[in-house]
Amino acid sequence: MVTPVGISVGVDIGGTKILAGIVNEQGEILAKVRKKTPRADASGVLEVVSQVITETISQVDDEIIGIGVGVAGPVDAGSTTVLYAPNLQWADVPVATLLDNSTGLPVRVENDGNAAAWGEARFGGGEGFRDVVAVTIGTGIGGGVVLGGELFRGSHGAAGEIGHMGAVANGRLCGCGRKGCWEQYASGNALVRDARAMATERLFDAQVLLSLGDGTPEGVQGEHVTHAAQSGDPVAIEVLDRLGEWLGRGLASLSAILDPQIFVIGGGASEASEFFLPSARASLADRIIGKQYRPIPEIRVAELGNKAGIVGAADLARLKFSSEN
Protein backbone atom coordinates (compact mmCIF):
# COMPACT_ATOMS: atom_id res chain seq x y z
CA MET A 1 0.00 0.00 0.00
CA VAL A 2 1.26 3.48 -0.92
CA THR A 3 0.32 5.81 1.92
CA PRO A 4 -0.66 9.37 0.94
CA VAL A 5 1.60 12.00 2.44
CA GLY A 6 0.03 14.46 4.87
CA ILE A 7 -1.53 14.75 8.29
CA SER A 8 -5.05 14.03 9.47
CA VAL A 9 -7.05 14.13 12.68
CA GLY A 10 -8.13 11.04 14.60
CA VAL A 11 -10.87 11.27 17.22
CA ASP A 12 -12.02 8.67 19.74
CA ILE A 13 -15.45 9.43 21.23
CA GLY A 14 -15.98 7.36 24.36
CA GLY A 15 -18.56 7.36 27.10
CA THR A 16 -16.21 9.18 29.49
CA LYS A 17 -13.62 10.93 27.31
CA ILE A 18 -13.06 12.51 23.92
CA LEU A 19 -9.50 12.18 22.61
CA ALA A 20 -8.21 13.78 19.40
CA GLY A 21 -4.79 13.70 17.82
CA ILE A 22 -2.94 14.93 14.75
CA VAL A 23 -1.41 11.89 13.05
CA ASN A 24 1.13 11.76 10.22
CA GLU A 25 1.55 9.09 7.53
CA GLN A 26 3.93 7.09 9.77
CA GLY A 27 1.25 6.77 12.46
CA GLU A 28 2.99 9.23 14.77
CA ILE A 29 0.87 11.51 16.95
CA LEU A 30 2.07 15.10 16.59
CA ALA A 31 -0.40 16.77 18.96
CA LYS A 32 -3.43 15.74 20.99
CA VAL A 33 -6.21 17.13 23.17
CA ARG A 34 -8.45 15.32 25.65
CA LYS A 35 -11.70 16.39 27.28
CA LYS A 36 -14.41 14.71 29.31
CA THR A 37 -17.46 13.55 27.41
CA PRO A 38 -20.32 15.82 28.53
CA ARG A 39 -23.60 14.44 29.80
CA ALA A 40 -25.56 15.71 26.83
CA ASP A 41 -27.42 14.60 23.74
CA ALA A 42 -25.62 13.90 20.46
CA SER A 43 -25.52 17.54 19.39
CA GLY A 44 -24.04 18.57 22.74
CA VAL A 45 -21.37 15.89 22.60
CA LEU A 46 -20.47 16.72 19.01
CA GLU A 47 -20.18 20.40 19.89
CA VAL A 48 -17.42 19.45 22.35
CA VAL A 49 -15.88 17.11 19.76
CA SER A 50 -15.71 20.03 17.34
CA GLN A 51 -13.98 22.15 20.00
CA VAL A 52 -11.46 19.37 20.66
CA ILE A 53 -10.73 19.06 16.94
CA THR A 54 -10.25 22.80 16.58
CA GLU A 55 -7.90 22.95 19.59
CA THR A 56 -5.88 20.04 18.25
CA ILE A 57 -5.55 21.52 14.75
CA SER A 58 -4.42 24.86 16.23
CA GLN A 59 -1.22 23.15 17.42
CA VAL A 60 0.08 22.50 13.89
CA ASP A 61 0.67 24.66 10.83
CA ASP A 62 0.24 22.04 8.11
CA GLU A 63 -2.92 21.55 6.09
CA ILE A 64 -5.25 18.82 7.38
CA ILE A 65 -6.42 16.19 4.87
CA GLY A 66 -9.48 15.11 6.84
CA ILE A 67 -10.91 13.83 10.10
CA GLY A 68 -11.48 10.25 11.19
CA VAL A 69 -13.86 9.60 14.08
CA GLY A 70 -14.19 6.37 16.07
CA VAL A 71 -17.37 5.62 18.04
CA ALA A 72 -18.37 2.55 20.04
CA GLY A 73 -21.21 1.32 17.86
CA PRO A 74 -22.07 0.19 14.33
CA VAL A 75 -21.59 2.74 11.56
CA ASP A 76 -23.43 2.75 8.22
CA ALA A 77 -21.88 1.46 5.00
CA GLY A 78 -20.99 4.97 3.89
CA SER A 79 -18.96 5.69 7.05
CA THR A 80 -21.02 8.77 7.84
CA THR A 81 -23.74 7.87 10.36
CA VAL A 82 -23.61 6.12 13.72
CA LEU A 83 -26.49 3.64 13.64
CA TYR A 84 -26.51 3.29 17.40
CA ALA A 85 -24.03 3.81 20.24
CA PRO A 86 -25.30 2.33 23.53
CA ASN A 87 -22.78 4.06 25.79
CA LEU A 88 -23.72 7.44 24.35
CA GLN A 89 -27.43 6.66 23.88
CA TRP A 90 -27.22 7.61 20.21
CA ALA A 91 -29.33 6.34 17.31
CA ASP A 92 -28.99 7.36 13.65
CA VAL A 93 -26.67 10.30 14.34
CA PRO A 94 -25.20 11.86 11.13
CA VAL A 95 -21.79 12.50 12.70
CA ALA A 96 -19.92 13.17 9.45
CA THR A 97 -22.37 15.82 8.26
CA LEU A 98 -22.55 17.58 11.61
CA LEU A 99 -18.78 17.71 12.11
CA ASP A 100 -18.14 18.65 8.47
CA ASN A 101 -20.46 21.63 8.94
CA SER A 102 -18.77 22.73 12.18
CA THR A 103 -15.12 22.17 11.16
CA GLY A 104 -15.16 22.67 7.40
CA LEU A 105 -13.23 19.43 6.90
CA PRO A 106 -14.32 16.10 5.41
CA VAL A 107 -15.12 13.44 8.03
CA ARG A 108 -15.04 9.63 7.98
CA VAL A 109 -16.79 7.81 10.83
CA GLU A 110 -15.84 4.31 11.92
CA ASN A 111 -16.60 1.85 14.67
CA ASP A 112 -13.91 2.31 17.31
CA GLY A 113 -12.94 -1.38 17.24
CA ASN A 114 -12.43 -1.21 13.49
CA ALA A 115 -10.37 1.96 13.85
CA ALA A 116 -8.16 0.39 16.52
CA ALA A 117 -7.77 -2.77 14.43
CA TRP A 118 -6.66 -0.71 11.45
CA GLY A 119 -4.18 1.20 13.59
CA GLU A 120 -2.63 -2.03 14.89
CA ALA A 121 -2.59 -3.60 11.42
CA ARG A 122 -0.86 -0.60 9.89
CA PHE A 123 1.50 0.55 12.63
CA GLY A 124 1.33 -1.86 15.58
CA GLY A 125 1.32 -5.55 16.39
CA GLY A 126 -0.06 -6.52 12.98
CA GLU A 127 2.28 -4.42 10.85
CA GLY A 128 3.61 -6.36 7.89
CA PHE A 129 0.62 -8.74 7.73
CA ARG A 130 -2.27 -8.51 5.27
CA ASP A 131 -4.81 -10.64 7.16
CA VAL A 132 -5.18 -9.45 10.74
CA VAL A 133 -7.87 -9.90 13.39
CA ALA A 134 -7.63 -7.53 16.35
CA VAL A 135 -9.25 -8.62 19.61
CA THR A 136 -9.76 -6.02 22.33
CA ILE A 137 -10.34 -7.50 25.79
CA GLY A 138 -11.94 -4.89 27.99
CA THR A 139 -15.27 -4.84 29.80
CA GLY A 140 -16.48 -6.92 26.86
CA ILE A 141 -14.71 -8.07 23.71
CA GLY A 142 -14.37 -5.78 20.72
CA GLY A 143 -12.33 -6.11 17.60
CA GLY A 144 -11.90 -5.58 13.91
CA VAL A 145 -10.90 -7.48 10.81
CA VAL A 146 -8.38 -6.57 8.11
CA LEU A 147 -8.35 -8.93 5.11
CA GLY A 148 -6.07 -8.57 2.10
CA GLY A 149 -4.79 -5.29 3.54
CA GLU A 150 -8.29 -3.77 3.60
CA LEU A 151 -10.62 -3.11 6.52
CA PHE A 152 -13.52 -5.55 6.35
CA ARG A 153 -16.72 -3.68 7.27
CA GLY A 154 -19.36 -6.04 5.88
CA SER A 155 -22.30 -5.19 3.64
CA HIS A 156 -23.87 -2.81 6.13
CA GLY A 157 -20.83 -1.54 8.03
CA ALA A 158 -21.58 -3.74 11.05
CA ALA A 159 -18.86 -6.42 10.79
CA GLY A 160 -16.34 -7.01 13.57
CA GLU A 161 -18.68 -7.56 16.54
CA ILE A 162 -16.67 -10.64 17.42
CA GLY A 163 -17.47 -10.58 21.14
CA HIS A 164 -21.00 -11.69 20.32
CA MET A 165 -20.10 -14.93 18.58
CA GLY A 166 -21.96 -17.81 20.16
CA ALA A 167 -19.65 -19.73 22.52
CA VAL A 168 -21.96 -21.73 24.77
CA ALA A 169 -25.51 -22.82 23.92
CA ASN A 170 -27.93 -21.29 26.45
CA GLY A 171 -24.94 -20.00 28.40
CA ARG A 172 -24.44 -16.85 30.45
CA LEU A 173 -26.79 -13.95 29.72
CA CYS A 174 -25.05 -11.23 27.71
CA GLY A 175 -25.70 -7.50 27.75
CA CYS A 176 -26.85 -7.79 24.14
CA GLY A 177 -29.83 -9.85 25.32
CA ARG A 178 -28.63 -13.21 24.01
CA LYS A 179 -27.06 -16.08 25.93
CA GLY A 180 -23.62 -17.63 25.64
CA CYS A 181 -21.73 -14.89 23.78
CA TRP A 182 -17.94 -15.26 23.71
CA GLU A 183 -17.38 -12.10 25.72
CA GLN A 184 -19.21 -13.67 28.67
CA TYR A 185 -16.28 -16.10 29.02
CA ALA A 186 -13.16 -14.28 27.78
CA SER A 187 -13.62 -10.61 28.72
CA GLY A 188 -12.61 -8.41 31.63
CA ASN A 189 -16.07 -8.81 33.16
CA ALA A 190 -15.81 -12.59 32.85
CA LEU A 191 -12.38 -12.49 34.49
CA VAL A 192 -13.69 -10.57 37.50
CA ARG A 193 -16.76 -12.79 37.85
CA ASP A 194 -14.65 -15.96 37.74
CA ALA A 195 -12.04 -14.53 40.11
CA ARG A 196 -14.67 -13.65 42.70
CA ALA A 197 -16.27 -17.09 42.43
CA MET A 198 -12.96 -18.94 42.77
CA ALA A 199 -11.82 -16.71 45.62
CA THR A 200 -15.04 -17.53 47.47
CA GLU A 201 -14.31 -21.24 47.12
CA ARG A 202 -10.58 -20.96 47.93
CA LEU A 203 -10.20 -18.15 50.46
CA PHE A 204 -6.86 -19.39 51.76
CA ASP A 205 -5.26 -19.63 48.29
CA ALA A 206 -6.58 -16.18 47.32
CA GLN A 207 -5.05 -14.20 50.18
CA VAL A 208 -2.96 -11.93 47.94
CA LEU A 209 -5.86 -11.35 45.57
CA LEU A 210 -8.26 -10.52 48.40
CA SER A 211 -5.77 -8.20 50.10
CA LEU A 212 -5.67 -5.95 47.05
CA GLY A 213 -9.36 -5.15 47.44
CA ASP A 214 -11.45 -4.83 50.57
CA GLY A 215 -10.68 -8.34 51.79
CA THR A 216 -13.84 -9.88 50.35
CA PRO A 217 -14.41 -11.70 47.03
CA GLU A 218 -16.93 -9.02 46.08
CA GLY A 219 -14.18 -6.40 46.30
CA VAL A 220 -11.99 -8.04 43.66
CA GLN A 221 -11.48 -5.92 40.51
CA GLY A 222 -9.80 -6.68 37.21
CA GLU A 223 -6.54 -4.90 37.99
CA HIS A 224 -6.32 -6.84 41.26
CA VAL A 225 -6.23 -10.12 39.35
CA THR A 226 -3.28 -8.97 37.26
CA HIS A 227 -1.32 -7.65 40.23
CA ALA A 228 -2.07 -10.74 42.30
CA ALA A 229 -0.88 -13.03 39.51
CA GLN A 230 2.34 -11.05 39.27
CA SER A 231 2.79 -11.67 43.02
CA GLY A 232 2.25 -15.41 42.59
CA ASP A 233 -1.34 -15.72 43.81
CA PRO A 234 -2.47 -19.20 42.62
CA VAL A 235 -6.13 -18.26 42.23
CA ALA A 236 -5.33 -15.23 40.08
CA ILE A 237 -2.94 -17.29 37.94
CA GLU A 238 -5.53 -20.02 37.45
CA VAL A 239 -8.29 -17.57 36.53
CA LEU A 240 -6.09 -15.90 33.92
CA ASP A 241 -5.11 -19.29 32.53
CA ARG A 242 -8.81 -20.10 32.18
CA LEU A 243 -9.40 -16.78 30.42
CA GLY A 244 -6.69 -17.73 27.92
CA GLU A 245 -8.32 -21.10 27.29
CA TRP A 246 -11.62 -19.42 26.44
CA LEU A 247 -9.81 -16.84 24.34
CA GLY A 248 -8.18 -19.61 22.30
CA ARG A 249 -11.54 -21.28 21.73
CA GLY A 250 -12.91 -18.13 20.16
CA LEU A 251 -9.79 -17.57 18.08
CA ALA A 252 -10.16 -21.11 16.70
CA SER A 253 -13.71 -20.28 15.57
CA LEU A 254 -12.53 -17.05 13.96
CA SER A 255 -9.72 -18.97 12.24
CA ALA A 256 -12.26 -21.36 10.71
CA ILE A 257 -14.12 -18.42 9.17
CA LEU A 258 -11.43 -15.84 8.40
CA ASP A 259 -8.11 -17.74 8.32
CA PRO A 260 -5.99 -14.76 9.45
CA GLN A 261 -2.22 -14.73 9.60
CA ILE A 262 -2.21 -13.14 13.04
CA PHE A 263 -4.37 -12.20 16.01
CA VAL A 264 -3.45 -8.99 17.83
CA ILE A 265 -4.69 -8.88 21.43
CA GLY A 266 -5.27 -5.49 23.04
CA GLY A 267 -7.37 -3.88 25.75
CA GLY A 268 -6.81 -3.58 29.48
CA ALA A 269 -6.50 -7.32 30.02
CA SER A 270 -3.50 -7.47 27.70
CA GLU A 271 -1.38 -6.17 30.59
CA ALA A 272 -1.68 -9.70 32.00
CA SER A 273 -0.87 -11.38 28.67
CA GLU A 274 2.09 -13.33 30.08
CA PHE A 275 -0.41 -15.30 32.19
CA PHE A 276 -3.06 -16.03 29.56
CA LEU A 277 -1.33 -16.11 26.16
CA PRO A 278 0.31 -19.52 26.71
CA SER A 279 -3.06 -21.17 27.33
CA ALA A 280 -4.64 -19.15 24.50
CA ARG A 281 -2.00 -20.40 22.06
CA ALA A 282 -2.41 -23.98 23.27
CA SER A 283 -6.19 -23.78 23.06
CA LEU A 284 -6.09 -22.31 19.55
CA ALA A 285 -3.63 -24.94 18.35
CA ASP A 286 -5.72 -27.73 19.85
CA ARG A 287 -9.07 -26.60 18.42
CA ILE A 288 -8.25 -25.10 15.04
CA ILE A 289 -9.79 -26.95 12.10
CA GLY A 290 -7.25 -29.00 10.09
CA LYS A 291 -4.46 -28.37 12.59
CA GLN A 292 -2.32 -31.13 11.08
CA TYR A 293 -2.31 -29.47 7.66
CA ARG A 294 -2.24 -25.71 8.15
CA PRO A 295 -0.16 -23.02 9.86
CA ILE A 296 -1.45 -21.86 13.24
CA PRO A 297 -2.05 -18.08 13.29
CA GLU A 298 0.31 -16.07 15.44
CA ILE A 299 -0.97 -14.35 18.57
CA ARG A 300 0.72 -11.10 19.51
CA VAL A 301 0.05 -8.35 22.02
CA ALA A 302 -1.10 -5.00 20.63
CA GLU A 303 1.56 -2.29 20.57
CA LEU A 304 -0.32 1.02 20.31
CA GLY A 305 -2.35 0.81 23.52
CA ASN A 306 -5.05 3.47 23.82
CA LYS A 307 -3.54 5.34 20.85
CA ALA A 308 -4.71 2.69 18.38
CA GLY A 309 -8.16 4.22 17.91
CA ILE A 310 -7.08 7.73 16.99
CA VAL A 311 -4.15 6.49 14.88
CA GLY A 312 -6.40 4.11 12.96
CA ALA A 313 -9.23 6.62 12.51
CA ALA A 314 -6.82 9.29 11.26
CA ASP A 315 -5.16 6.90 8.81
CA LEU A 316 -8.50 5.72 7.42
CA ALA A 317 -9.51 9.35 6.87
CA ARG A 318 -6.20 10.11 5.13
CA LEU A 319 -6.63 7.17 2.77
CA LYS A 320 -10.24 8.02 1.96
CA PHE A 321 -9.91 11.75 1.36
CA SER A 322 -6.54 11.66 -0.39
CA SER A 323 -7.99 9.23 -2.96
CA GLU A 324 -10.96 11.53 -3.52
CA ASN A 325 -8.82 14.60 -4.24
Side-chain angles (χ1 to χ4, degrees):
M1 176 187 297
V2 178
T3 302
V5 175
I7 61 175
S8 51
V9 180
V11 185
D12 184 6
I13 304 176
T16 59
K17 74 177 188 310
I18 298 165
L19 179 64
I22 304 293
V23 182
N24 65 16
E25 61 270 20
Q26 286 83 38
E28 300 166 336
I29 299 175
L30 307 179
K32 60 183 177 180
V33 172
R34 172 176 174 158
K35 289 184 182 292
K36 290 183 178 179
T37 304
R39 295 184 178 275
D41 59 13
S43 61
V45 172
L46 290 175
E47 182 177 343
V48 176
V49 172
S50 180
Q51 294 170 5
V52 171
I53 291 170
T54 300
E55 287 183 31
T56 308
I57 291 174
S58 69
Q59 299 181 54
V60 298
D61 296 325
D62 299 302
E63 182 178 354
I64 304 295
I65 292 175
I67 299 169
V69 178
V71 181
V75 175
D76 71 329
S79 298
T80 62
T81 300
V82 175
L83 301 178
Y84 64 93
N87 291 339
L88 295 167
Q89 298 182 331
W90 287 5
D92 292 319
V93 178
V95 173
T97 298
L98 294 173
L99 288 179
D100 188 334
N101 290 340
S102 64
T103 65
L105 289 166
V107 178
R108 172 173 179 166
V109 188
E110 191 51 76
N111 169 269
D112 61 349
N114 284 347
W118 183 255
E120 286 291 343
R122 289 274 286 132
F123 306 107
E127 186 176 5
F129 296 88
R130 291 181 57 78
D131 299 308
V132 180
V133 175
V135 180
T136 303
I137 306 175
T139 302
I141 293 181
V145 179
V146 175
L147 296 177
E150 300 290 338
L151 181 66
F152 179 72
R153 306 185 71 252
S155 297
H156 309 97
E161 295 291 342
I162 59 177
H164 297 287
M165 293 190 305
V168 177
N170 296 314
R172 294 170 174 170
L173 180 65
C174 184
C176 73
R178 303 188 308 144
K179 290 184 177 181
C181 291
W182 185 32
E183 70 172 38
Q184 292 305 307
Y185 301 88
S187 66
N189 273 355
L191 178 71
V192 170
R193 179 175 55 236
D194 291 347
R196 290 174 177 175
M198 192 176 295
T200 299
E201 297 173 359
R202 297 166 55 186
L203 289 172
F204 180 79
D205 290 336
Q207 289 303 302
V208 175
L209 176 60
L210 294 171
S211 71
L212 295 172
D214 61 6
T216 69
E218 293 74 22
V220 171
Q221 304 298 324
E223 62 270 21
H224 300 156
V225 181
T226 300
H227 295 151
Q230 292 168 342
S231 298
D233 184 281
V235 168
I237 291 171
E238 186 172 335
V239 170
L240 284 164
D241 184 74
R242 180 183 298 179
L243 177 90
E245 199 273 337
W246 276 108
L247 177 61
R249 290 189 187 195
L251 299 185
S253 295
L254 289 169
S255 295
I257 300 167
L258 301 172
D259 188 28
Q261 297 166 287
I262 186 171
F263 291 103
V264 179
I265 311 299
S270 64
E271 295 180 6
S273 60
E274 64 185 294
F275 297 100
F276 68 75
L277 280 191
S279 58
R281 292 186 174 111
S283 180
L284 169 60
D286 182 56
R287 290 175 171 79
I288 194 169
I289 299 296
K291 59 184 178 182
Q292 303 94 327
Y293 310 105
R294 63 184 291 179
I296 307 300
E298 289 191 43
I299 305 177
R300 292 185 184 177
V301 177
E303 296 178 2
L304 300 183
N306 60 12
K307 301 183 296 183
I310 61 173
V311 169
D315 196 60
L316 287 167
R318 177 182 13 263
L319 294 172
K320 176 178 174 61
F321 300 121
S322 294
S323 65
E324 292 179 355
N325 294 333

